[in-house]
Amino acid sequence: MSRFTQLPIRIQLLAIAILLTLPALGIILYSGLRARHESYRNAEIETQKLADNLAARQEGLVTEAQLLGSLLADLPEVNSRNKEKVEPLIVRIHKKNPQYTSILIADETGRIWASSIDGMDEVSIADRRYFKSARATMRFSSGEYALHRVLNSPTVSFAYPLTRNGNGFHGTVILSYDLAIMRTVLQRSRLPKDTNYVLVDHRGLTLSRGIDTMQPLGTPVSPQAWKALSQGGARGTGVLLRSDGQLRISSWRSLSLAGEPAPYLYLIAGMSLKAAVENENRKLVYSIAMLLPFAGCAFLLAVFVGKRSIAEPVARLRGATQQLAGGDLGARVGPLAGGGEFGALGRVFDEMAGRLQVTLQRLQLATTSGHLGVWDWNIRDETLVWDDRMLELYGIPREEFTGSVYTWLLELHPDDKERAMAACAAALEGERDFDVEFRVVAPDGTVRHIKADGIVIRDGDGSPVRMIGLNRDVTGQKRAVEERLELERRLMHAQKMESLGVLAGGIAHDFNNILTSIVGNTELVLMRLKPDSPLREYLERVSQSALKAAGLARQMLAYSGKGMFVVEPIDLNSVVEEQSRTTLSALPATVDLRLELTRPLPEVKGDVTQIRQLIVNLVVNGCEALGDTAGTVAIRTWSRRWEREELKGAWVGDEPAAGCYVVLEVADTGCGMDEETQARIFDPFFTTKFTGRGLGMSAVQGIVRGHGGVVQIESEPGKGSVFRVLLPAAAQIMTGDGRP
């Protein structure tokens, strides 16, 4: 009862009206269903009577056929097979008994030697069931559904065995009759028009119907009906599904001949279930329809009284309360609540709203001065209140704010959501105050950094009931700190690169001068030695080692940006294709080198030799990342315009300017790199290989820096690496995006 009183008044009034209507509805339903059951029971009785009459008629026909077969079998003319005397006799019998379609007499081989109809001479019936059964059992036997060989009509036949002087099988008398004769039983009954019967043979095939339907004769009955016939005993009554899907009240009987293991015929008498109870259903619907207007008037009266006297005043009070909870401090009820108790309640509400408005105005003045957003979360009813500053911080219009804590969760940056929720949970558990920084994503995509503080208000049991606090926008402060840190990083990197470049350039320059002297003097000595001198091998090794050292010196000069440059316009695609043909022969068989070049490409200005060295170093680095594992190294070229924001965080040199860049991209499917390795990839003498020198990628950095370009790296451990070299295009006019 307590739950019922908690329902809205309008629902309670509707429930009372329904309860008053239920007794009358129950009486109508009980009477209608009882009458329906009586109609159903009467239909069962009628079908049982019809089935019994049909069974009696059928048994009578069988008895007549058996008697006629016995009389014919006893005739001497039949035993002597005197066709001239027997055939006119059976023709006369046939004319007097039109229920038969034919009367035949066959010899022991199944050949017809006497017939009451034309066209049956020498016709064999040896394959018929009734002939085989009569020959095997020497009893009166039944046949099955078949088309008459001459009349081509569906018939059922019976066979009476013939003997020669009481010994042995001498043939059969076959009596075939028209099943349509059973229709007279149906026609004499005064049953609904839909009443029908079906005769079914021992295989479940339809032999005859009282009323023709769309289903042809010789088709099987439905599986459900056949199961009831074959497993339901000699008689039964129930609802069967006709093959066309109609449910019918049916009574069935099975008819058997003595000595036969299975019934030779089943008959089903039935009428439509829908037609049998249709009249009572119509009366029930009519009674319910007569009750509906009275019930409808009671419902409308309950709704009208509940709406005008209770629901509307309550709705006005609830609407004003929701407006006040949503931040509309001017919400008032006034005289809208009417008189009586609701009017007094409305006046109290208006007085309370006025006092609350003054208090909140004072608080708003304080928070506005500090640019703070105020929020109030009622934990028990899951409602959240934000002031205008909070809505401004999160970029949500007042009309779209749902007043749910899920609004706050949806606006949080995905990477900060878990941390903010953890801080909130810790504050609710009393572990620490709510003090956290997070990012919010406004509906327009704007990202702000928010500093949030709050306190938890608890009840007498220590359970949290409310949580209130402030939000402050610290985006400007975070951006200033990030810009300062980025500037410091670039300055330190530039100083480091400059120091290393000066050191590497000086060492390489002096070392190269020494190596020039070594190589030159070694060549002079080799020129003076005889070809078979034992010293030649040692001097050649000295020369080769000096040349390798000179190569290292050139890489150090390239890293320092002091290498020899011959600047000219370059088609990057041509250089890549030429260098790939040279490099391919030196690559391991496990490396699949692929070229994905975009044409046409803008030209770049640079030194062809340095660009070749750049390509070789990047390809070699990709092959080393593959190790002994089969994999792919792909070289791609494309071009497009790059903005400054896209170039932030790129390696090499000062912050690049926006513009058109031609891109050389080398991607491998190797082991990849972690962030620590990426941070040191361009440091001289840094290598992750046991036999590496650590100058290949340093040379790449020097070459790219010398050409005014930048390098971007994308890599994860186990997912390969992508080195993207951006070289300024010689012509800074492009349309479209040249990337494949």
Side-chain angles (χ1 to χ4, degrees):
M1 191 65 182
S2 59
R3 292 184 178 180
F4 178 76
T5 57
Q6 293 175 2
L7 294 174
I9 296 298
R10 185 160 37 184
I11 301 300
Q12 294 183 32
L13 292 174
L14 283 174
I16 293 172
I18 292 174
L19 289 174
L20 293 175
T21 308
L22 285 179
L25 180 61
I27 293 172
I28 291 174
L29 289 176
Y30 175 78
S31 301
L33 293 177
R34 184 176 180 84
R36 188 178 185 274
H37 177 74
E38 291 296 329
S39 297
Y40 176 84
R41 181 58 187 155
N42 291 335
E44 284 186 330
I45 295 173
E46 293 299 330
T47 58
Q48 290 171 358
K49 290 180 180 179
L50 178 59
D52 291 338
N53 292 336
L54 291 170
R57 177 58 173 158
Q58 176 63 27
E59 289 173 349
L61 290 174
V62 172
T63 301
E64 292 174 2
Q66 188 173 7
L67 180 60
L68 179 58
S70 174
L71 292 174
L72 291 174
D74 291 337
L75 293 176
E77 292 82 358
V78 173
N79 288 322
S80 62
R81 296 181 182 172
N82 189 337
K83 181 178 180 180
E84 289 74 11
K85 291 184 177 182
V86 171
E87 200 163 72
L89 175 62
I90 61 177
V91 168
R92 288 194 300 274
I93 294 173
H94 187 188
K95 289 181 179 179
K96 292 181 179 180
N97 296 274
Q99 68 269 26
Y100 298 111
T101 57
S102 65
I103 302 174
L104 311 173
I105 303 177
D107 61 16
E108 63 273 12
T109 65
R111 292 286 179 180
I112 302 298
W113 62 267
S115 172
S116 65
I117 59 174
D118 296 333
M120 294 297 293
D121 295 340
E122 299 301 318
V123 173
S124 176
I125 59 167
D127 60 335
R128 296 300 194 183
R129 176 176 179 265
Y130 54 80
F131 180 81
K132 294 178 181 179
S133 178
R135 183 175 59 187
T137 63
M138 296 299 295
R139 293 191 183 96
F140 184 70
S141 301
S142 63
E144 58 193 357
Y145 169 82
L147 291 177
H148 198 283
R149 293 187 184 273
V150 173
L151 302 178
N152 200 31
S153 61
T155 60
V156 169
S157 302
F158 294 89
Y160 192 92
L162 301 177
T163 62
R164 182 184 294 273
N165 299 322
N167 297 318
F169 181 72
H170 190 56
T172 59
V173 176
I174 303 100
L175 300 128
S176 302
Y177 66 88
D178 186 359
L179 296 175
I181 195 171
M182 303 288 286
R183 294 181 179 178
T184 58
V185 178
L186 178 64
Q187 292 169 356
R188 286 197 298 268
S189 66
R190 297 180 180 180
L191 295 176
K193 294 182 179 180
D194 190 59
T195 305
N196 199 358
Y197 71 84
V198 179
L199 302 181
V200 182
D201 72 357
H202 67 281
R203 297 172 300 176
L205 300 180
T206 303
L207 301 177
S208 176
R209 292 188 180 88
I211 301 174
D212 293 331
T213 64
M214 298 298 293
Q215 297 293 326
L217 298 179
T219 57
V221 296
S222 69
Q224 186 236 5
W226 177 240
K227 182 178 180 181
L229 294 176
S230 59
Q231 301 178 11
R235 57 192 295 127
T237 303
V239 177
L240 297 182
L241 179 68
R242 200 164 65 180
S243 55
D244 60 359
Q246 186 185 78
L247 291 175
R248 300 181 64 81
I249 302 173
S250 304
S251 295
W252 58 89
R253 305 288 184 268
S254 60
L255 305 178
S256 303
L257 293 180
E260 290 190 347
Y264 72 90
L265 186 70
Y266 298 93
L267 60 88
I268 307 173
M271 64 177 64
S272 169
L273 174 62
K274 179 180 178 181
V277 298
E278 183 177 12
N279 188 43
E280 301 304 327
N281 285 342
R282 188 181 300 109
K283 292 179 180 178
L284 178 61
V285 172
Y286 178 78
S287 300
I288 294 176
M290 293 297 293
L291 177 65
L292 287 179
F294 297 100
C297 292
F299 295 158
L300 291 175
L301 182 61
V303 170
F304 178 77
V305 173
K307 180 180 178 182
R308 292 296 300 272
S309 302
I310 302 173
E312 288 184 356
V314 171
R316 296 188 188 102
L317 284 170
R318 183 174 63 249
T321 304
Q322 291 174 345
Q323 288 179 340
L324 188 63
D328 184 4
L329 302 179
R332 297 292 186 274
V333 177
L336 296 178
E341 292 83 355
F342 286 109
L345 183 60
R347 289 189 291 273
V348 172
F349 174 85
D350 291 346
E351 183 180 354
M352 177 192 67
R355 294 180 180 178
L356 181 61
Q357 182 177 15
V358 173
T359 302
L360 290 180
Q361 286 174 346
R362 294 172 181 172
L363 177 60
Q364 186 176 9
L365 178 61
T367 55
T368 302
S369 302
H371 301 285
L372 302 175
V374 180
W375 52 271
D376 185 349
W377 178 27
N378 190 318
I379 299 173
R380 289 183 174 174
D381 60 11
E382 294 291 336
T383 57
L384 183 65
V385 178
W386 281 1
D387 68 351
D388 292 339
R389 177 59 179 165
M390 283 290 294
L391 296 172
E392 181 183 345
L393 289 177
Y394 285 77
I396 302 176
R398 170 66 67 182
E399 59 273 11
E400 296 181 9
F401 180 63
T402 62
S404 170
V405 71
Y406 295 105
T407 303
W408 174 65
L409 293 176
L410 291 174
E411 298 298 316
L412 292 180
H413 193 282
D415 296 340
D416 299 344
K417 184 174 295 186
E418 185 176 351
R419 180 164 49 85
M421 292 175 63
C424 182
L428 292 175
E429 292 295 330
E431 298 175 3
R432 59 178 179 272
D433 292 337
F434 183 62
D435 183 2
V436 65
E437 286 189 16
F438 50 80
R439 290 168 293 174
V440 297
V441 183
D444 61 358
T446 303
V447 179
R448 289 190 177 92
H449 292 263
I450 301 296
K451 175 68 168 61
D453 300 280
I455 60 172
V456 179
I457 300 175
R458 304 179 184 276
D459 59 13
D461 298 332
S463 301
V465 293
R466 289 178 61 201
M467 192 172 179
I468 59 176
L470 305 172
N471 276 190
R472 180 162 51 93
D473 188 355
V474 295
T475 305
Q477 300 174 18
K478 297 288 289 187
R479 187 179 294 114
V481 172
E482 290 174 358
E483 291 177 353
R484 179 174 58 81
L485 293 175
E486 177 66 18
L487 183 61
E488 291 177 355
R489 187 189 70 81
R490 286 186 172 276
L491 179 60
M492 292 178 65
H493 181 71
Q495 290 174 349
K496 173 184 174 182
M497 293 298 103
E498 183 179 1
S499 300
L500 290 174
V502 171
L503 176 61
I507 294 174
H509 187 271
D510 294 341
F511 189 46
N512 196 48
N513 291 336
I514 297 173
L515 290 173
T516 300
S517 175
I518 294 173
V519 172
N521 286 300
T522 303
E523 293 294 332
L524 291 174
V525 173
L526 287 171
M527 292 173 61
R528 291 172 179 260
L529 286 177
K530 294 179 180 181
D532 57 350
S533 172
L535 298 176
R536 174 174 291 277
E537 180 181 356
Y538 300 107
L539 289 173
E540 287 178 347
R541 291 180 182 177
V542 171
S543 178
Q544 292 174 0
S545 298
L547 290 174
K548 290 181 180 179
L552 293 176
R554 284 194 298 273
Q555 290 195 28
M556 293 176 65
L557 287 172
Y559 167 72
S560 65
K562 297 180 179 180
M564 298 299 293
F565 284 83
V566 179
V567 179
E568 59 181 333
I570 299 172
D571 180 6
L572 187 58
N573 283 340
S574 299
V575 178
V576 170
E577 290 174 335
E578 179 183 351
Q579 191 60 42
S580 65
R581 287 193 292 269
T582 305
T583 306
L584 185 60
S585 60
L587 295 179
T590 57
V591 177
D592 179 15
L593 182 63
R594 298 181 183 178
L595 301 184
E596 301 175 12
L597 309 181
T598 301
R599 303 177 188 277
L601 276 181
E603 293 181 334
V604 298
K605 290 185 178 181
D607 184 277
V608 175
T609 303
Q610 296 289 331
I611 297 298
R612 289 198 185 101
Q613 185 65 47
L614 170 70
I615 297 170
V616 170
N617 288 4
L618 290 174
V619 173
V620 170
N621 180 75
C623 294
E624 291 178 347
L626 294 174
D628 298 331
T629 306
T632 302
V633 176
I635 304 177
R636 305 183 184 98
T637 60
W638 43 283
S639 63
R640 71 173 177 88
R641 177 175 176 81
W642 295 71
E643 303 299 334
R644 290 186 62 183
E645 291 294 327
E646 298 177 280
L647 298 173
K648 281 186 176 181
W651 297 89
V652 181
D654 298 329
E655 184 176 343
C660 175
Y661 286 85
V662 178
V663 181
L664 171 67
E665 186 175 279
V666 179
D668 64 73
T669 59
C671 59
M673 299 180 291
D674 55 21
E675 293 183 359
E676 182 180 356
T677 302
Q678 293 183 45
R680 301 186 60 193
I681 189 68
F682 295 117
D683 289 356
F685 311 111
F686 172 76
T687 179
T688 59
K689 308 297 184 295
F690 180 74
T691 58
R693 296 187 298 270
L695 289 175
M697 297 308 295
S698 300
V700 168
Q701 183 187 40
I703 294 172
V704 174
R705 184 171 59 220
H707 285 76
V710 296
V711 181
Q712 292 181 339
I713 303 175
E714 295 178 4
S715 182
E716 291 184 30
K719 296 186 179 180
S721 303
V722 177
F723 289 86
R724 192 175 297 117
V725 177
L726 282 66
L727 300 174
Q732 290 293 318
I733 300 177
M734 281 190 64
T735 59
D737 189 340
R739 183 170 184 169

